[in-house]
Amino acid sequence: MSEAAKPAPAKPAGRAGRNTELPEHLKAYKGVWVFIEHDRGHVHSVSWELMGEARKLADTLGVTVSGVLMGGPGDDLDRYAKEAYAYGADRCYLVRDPVLQGYRNEPFTKGLTDLVNTYQPEILLLGATTMGRDLAGSVATTLGTGLTADCTELRIDGRALAATRPTFGGSLLCTIMTLAYRPQMATVRPRVMAMPRRDDTRSGDIVEMALGMVETDIVTKLLDFIPDASRNTVNLAYADIIVTGGKGLKTAENFKLVWELARVLGAEVGATRAVTQAGWTETERQVGQTGKTVRPKLYIAAGVSGAIQHRVGMESSDCIVAINTDPNAPIFDFAHHGIVGNAMQVLPVLTQTFRNHLAKRVRKVA
C-alpha cells in the first residue's frame, strides 16, 4: 500500500478513550441558564448569586442569560421573573402546573429536561442546596451529560465551561470540563459567588411551556409541610462577623474563648471540621468544604491552620484576621492581618479590647 493510501492514525480520544470533540448536533446549543429555586414565597439567594455569575459567563460567550422558574398556582412566578431580570437575566422560561406546587423530583426533572431538550442551553447552573443537588443529579442523568458539583469557580475556556471544585477530601482543586456533551452543568453552594448589583430598570422576555404530567404519573406525594420548630438557628452563611476556632485551641474549655469574643462583637461562632468532630460544638457551625461557605465582613480565625478544606469555605471574606503560633501556617498566605501568638492568650486580650472600645462608643452616643 502506498504512503498516500495508508489510513491516518486514529486520533486519541482522551485518557478514558472517549471522544472529546463536540458533535455537530450539539453545537447549536447556546445560552447560559440558571435554575431559580423558590419556596413559600421566597427565592433562595443562591439563585441570584448564580445569576450574576451567569451574566459574566454569557458576556464572555456573547450569548443570553435565562432563568428557569417552575411552580404551581400558588407561586408568583411572574414576580420572581422580574427579580431575575433585575439581577441579569434576559429571558425567563416558566412552567406552571398544579403538580409543581411544592418540590418533588419527578415533575421538576421532567419540566427541566423538557425545557433543555426544546430550547438547548449550553450551560445550566443550579444552587448546591438540598433541592438543587437532588434535581441536578437526576437532570444530568436523564440528559446523559456531565455535572460538576460544589464548584468554587466558573470560567470560560475557549467555548467550554471550566468548573473548579475541591477534590480528594478538599486537599486539591481540580478543574473539570464537559467537552463532548451539552448542556454543561454545575452546582455552586450559597455564598461562594458574590451577590450581583440589582438593576430594576432591566426587563426581559417570558417563554411558557406546559408540563404535560398528571398527578397519577408521580410516585411521591406531598401531603403536608411541617416546619421544624426545634431547628438550629445558626446562620453562618449570612453573618457579618464570624469568630472561628480550630484544633489549635487544644481543649473544649479553651474553645469558650471564641464564644466570649463572639458575644462581645455580636458575631456568629464558626469551627473547623476537627473541632466539630471532637464534639466541642455542633456540626452546623463547621466552615469549609464539608461545612458552610461564608462571606462575612470580618472573619477571625483562632488556632486554625488554614488547610484548603477550610480555606474554600471562607477565603471570600472581606477581612480575615488569623491567630496562630506557627508563622508558617497556610492561613497566613491569604489572611489580611496575622497575629503570630498563642490564641489562648490573644483571644482574652482581643475580647477585653473590643469590650472597652465598644463601651466608649456607647458612652459617646449617650
Side-chain angles (χ1 to χ4, degrees), residues 175-187:
T175 298
I176 299 171
M177 300 169 72
T178 302
L179 298 174
Y181 303 92
R182 291 294 183 270
Q184 303 158 95
M185 293 181 61
T187 62

Side-chain angles (χ1 to χ4, degrees), residues 34-38 43-52 127:
V34 174
F35 172 75
I36 300 172
E37 179 179 335
H38 60 90
V43 174
H44 198 300
S45 60
V46 72
S47 301
W48 305 144
E49 293 163 8
L50 286 176
M51 194 64 74

Side-chain angles (χ1 to χ4, degrees), residues 245-269:
K247 205 63 187 293
L249 292 173
K250 307 296 185 184
T251 67
E253 186 66 24
N254 291 333
F255 191 80
K256 292 178 182 177
L257 297 172
V258 171
W259 283 97
E260 290 173 14
L261 178 56
R263 273 193 289 271
V264 170
L265 293 175
E268 278 281 10
V269 169

Side-chain angles (χ1 to χ4, degrees), residues 5 26 28 123 201 217 236 240-241 276 299 326-327 329 347 360 362:
L26 294 180
I123 295 172
T201 64
D217 294 334
L236 275 179
D240 284 336
I241 304 174
T276 60
Y299 188 89
D326 181 5
L347 284 174
K360 288 179 183 178
V362 171

Side-chain angles (χ1 to χ4, degrees), residues 197-218:
R197 184 173 298 170
R198 181 175 177 133
D199 180 2
D200 288 310
T201 64
R202 298 186 82 259
S203 60
D205 304 325
I206 291 278
V207 177
E208 295 208 34
M209 192 175 85
L211 181 64
M213 199 173 194
V214 294
E215 185 62 44
T216 52
D217 294 334
I218 306 168

Side-chain angles (χ1 to χ4, degrees), residues 215-227:
E215 185 62 44
T216 52
D217 294 334
I218 306 168
V219 174
T220 55
K221 307 299 175 189
L222 185 58
L223 302 179
D224 196 5
F225 174 76
I226 304 173

Side-chain angles (χ1 to χ4, degrees), residues 231-237 268-269 282 284-286 292:
R231 185 177 178 180
N232 197 297
T233 58
V234 176
N235 192 23
L236 275 179
E268 278 281 10
V269 169
E282 57 266 60
E284 288 83 357
R285 297 192 179 277
Q286 183 180 326
K292 299 287 193 307

